[in-house]
Amino acid sequence: MECLAIEGGHRLTGSVRVHGAKNAALPILAASVLAHGESILEDVPDLQDIRVMLTILSQLGANVEREGSAVRVDATQLRSTVVPEHLMRQMRSSIFLMGPILARYGQVRVSAPGGCSIGSRPIDLHLKGLQALGAVIEEKHGFIDCTAKGLRGANIYLDLPSVGATENLIMAAVFAEGTTVIGNAAREPEIVDLANYLNAMGAKIRGAGEATVVIEGVERLEAKRYRIIPDRIVTGTLMLAAAVTQGDVTLNNTNATHLGAVINKLRETGVRIDIEGDAMHVKSDGQIRPLDHIRTDYYPGFPTDLQSPFMALLTRASGSSMITESVFEGRYKHVSELRRMGAKVKVDLRTAFIEGVPELTGAVVEATDLRAGAALILAGLAAKGTTCVEHLHHIDRGYERVEELFGSLGAKMQRVKKESRT
């Protein structure tokens, strides 16, 4: 087994560029299916999830080529509308292909998607929305078949502001006849990025980033060159890494407006954050103040993806803090691993109570999901001794060459081979 060996106690300093957003790149790659011609997408991170999506597109018949951080996709004529089951199981975001393939070709077959196990994430909102647009859906033998002779605009109200459902339905509605209105839509920056990309190709979408999104159907989209937004979760993780190591770090290629709730909470802990253009300077003297309460919520609330990394910081605070996870019920699996390192955390239903400790100690721990892995990396950076984080495949889904990313700021970490933990 490969693990990430982290030598704790090193202060992070210097500057680093944040790579493009995985959660924006994945739906935009899916949306390239809608275009005629070759799309050139810039700042696409080299992550496991991205590789899976590119493989899926290739197997469907698209011409795909990566040149550094740029990806060329020509999906003018696919030879298949069946998303391979073995690849679908590797990555939940492959569900994004339902909407665009159905809109372009009138049919699509998918299986139940995979991904991190962090709680219930049903796709019923996707299916209900597609049915409202006129799709006929049949579920059998573990597959979902969607067909439509022609999608028609509809008024759709989401029971909750699901990011994936909002994005899938926007893509499906681009070619629908008439007007589609999506109510209670998710408002994340990644949705705005998707809409900007589609509009650049000729779509007519307004209201992205607001609770109501309106899509006027068009007949054709032309491929364009487009740059992916910076990854706000990677940005937040690096900010927290600077804070937990008493660091002095400059992050380039960031968008502070995407991280308002996180920046406010970090400043409450005593971390200094200066913003100039797309750069953020983060500095900490190591005196972390506890927080009365963090509650995760849909954007623009505190992002659930930074709940576990922020908990790692609060394990070093000078007092008691509280976090309530309101988005995913299964997102406290990192707690038992932090306890192995000496953290004092108790969980009652969806609320975690964190008592700061003067010292964490290195241990062998397991990344149970992507963001849990990020939390353990932060804890390892602050801990005394060496921490070995296992199950790196989770971390590789969201952080590009994580050892190089943190190593550029002075972290001491490397991938090593070791025996499996029993």
Side-chain angles (χ1 to χ4, degrees):
M1 174 186 289
E2 189 178 56
C3 80
L4 189 66
I6 305 167
E7 182 183 299
H10 296 279
R11 182 171 181 254
L12 298 192
T13 59
S15 64
V16 68
R17 183 184 185 276
V18 176
H19 59 66
K22 178 195 82 161
N23 290 336
L26 287 170
I28 285 175
L29 284 167
S32 70
V33 168
L34 295 164
H36 288 266
E38 183 184 70
S39 300
I40 303 176
L41 304 175
E42 300 176 340
D43 214 359
V44 178
D46 185 15
L47 304 169
Q48 179 59 27
D49 279 8
I50 298 292
R51 296 184 204 119
V52 172
M53 178 64 84
L54 295 180
T55 300
I56 292 174
L57 290 171
S58 294
Q59 294 201 8
L60 292 176
N63 293 320
V64 178
E65 182 180 351
R66 178 183 276 278
E67 299 175 0
S69 64
V71 172
R72 297 174 180 268
V73 182
D74 189 341
T76 301
Q77 188 60 56
L78 299 186
R79 61 174 176 266
S80 174
T81 59
V82 179
V83 180
E85 180 182 14
H86 70 286
L87 294 172
M88 191 104 187
R89 289 184 177 274
Q90 291 182 37
M91 183 188 64
R92 181 176 180 82
S93 296
S94 50
I95 198 71
F96 288 134
L97 287 161
M98 286 183 68
I101 294 177
L102 179 65
R104 181 78 183 274
Y105 294 98
Q107 61 184 19
V108 63
R109 167 178 274 199
V110 300
S111 58
C116 281
S117 177
I118 57 174
S120 176
R121 295 191 289 180
I123 63 169
D124 62 307
L125 296 180
H126 301 245
L127 302 182
K128 288 179 182 178
L130 292 175
Q131 287 176 319
L133 292 170
V136 176
I137 296 175
E138 186 176 5
E139 299 181 61
K140 60 181 180 180
H141 307 304
F143 292 94
I144 303 171
D145 286 298
C146 300
T147 58
K149 293 183 179 180
L151 297 177
R152 300 177 303 278
N155 290 326
I156 302 169
Y157 186 86
L158 299 178
D159 293 335
L160 56 86
S162 162
V163 174
T166 301
E167 292 172 330
N168 225 344
L169 296 176
I170 286 174
M171 290 185 280
V174 164
F175 290 154
E177 181 182 350
T179 302
T180 298
V181 179
I182 304 174
N184 197 30
R187 300 163 60 187
E188 274 71 4
E190 294 79 12
I191 292 171
V192 177
D193 209 32
L194 172 64
N196 287 343
Y197 169 62
L198 290 168
N199 284 340
M201 296 195 296
K204 295 181 179 179
I205 304 165
R206 64 181 188 272
E210 301 174 6
T212 300
V213 181
V214 180
I215 307 102
E216 301 286 346
V218 298
E219 293 184 357
R220 183 182 174 96
L221 296 181
E222 297 293 341
K224 297 292 182 180
R225 177 184 291 267
Y226 190 80
R227 180 176 292 275
I228 307 297
I229 59 172
D231 196 308
R232 63 191 172 101
I233 306 302
V234 172
T235 303
T237 303
L238 291 169
M239 294 170 72
L240 288 161
V244 81
T245 63
Q246 303 180 41
D248 188 350
V249 168
T250 298
L251 306 178
N252 298 308
N253 191 43
T254 69
N255 190 325
T257 64
H258 295 168
L259 285 160
V262 176
I263 290 171
N264 287 340
K265 287 298 181 184
L266 262 176
R267 283 174 170 162
E268 287 181 30
T269 69
V271 176
R272 178 175 174 177
I273 302 170
D274 296 314
I275 301 164
E276 184 174 349
D278 72 349
M280 285 198 285
H281 182 211
V282 185
K283 186 174 183 180
S284 172
D285 61 6
Q287 303 300 312
I288 304 301
R289 295 195 292 265
L291 297 179
D292 290 339
H293 196 199
I294 291 177
R295 180 183 178 86
T296 66
D297 206 346
Y298 300 102
Y299 190 86
F302 191 95
T304 179
D305 281 350
L306 287 175
Q307 174 259 111
S308 43
F310 213 108
M311 183 183 291
L313 173 66
L314 294 178
T315 64
R316 299 301 316 281
S318 57
S320 300
S321 303
M322 182 170 66
I323 296 176
T324 297
E325 173 57 60
S326 66
V327 180
F328 292 124
E329 73 277 9
R331 208 152 207 177
Y332 282 138
K333 295 181 179 179
H334 57 286
V335 169
S336 60
E337 302 302 297
L338 288 174
R339 287 173 180 157
R340 292 174 62 86
M341 301 178 68
K344 293 183 178 179
V345 184
K346 295 180 180 179
V347 176
D348 183 9
L349 298 177
R350 289 199 172 201
T351 299
F353 302 90
I354 306 105
E355 184 68 34
V357 295
E359 182 178 84
L360 297 174
T361 55
V364 178
V365 291
E366 176 183 332
T368 54
D369 61 69
L370 168 55
R371 307 307 175 185
L376 297 176
I377 288 175
L378 300 190
L381 289 171
K384 181 179 181 180
T386 300
T387 298
C388 290
V389 183
E390 297 178 342
H391 291 195
L392 291 186
H393 62 281
H394 287 303
I395 297 170
D396 290 337
R397 290 184 51 241
Y399 298 87
E400 185 177 87
R401 292 182 286 278
V402 66
E403 67 275 22
E404 296 178 18
L405 180 66
F406 286 92
S408 66
L409 296 173
K412 305 298 182 183
M413 59 176 68
Q414 61 179 331
R415 294 172 188 257
V416 299
K417 297 288 186 179
K418 67 181 292 293
E419 295 296 324
S420 299
R421 183 159 39 130
T422 57

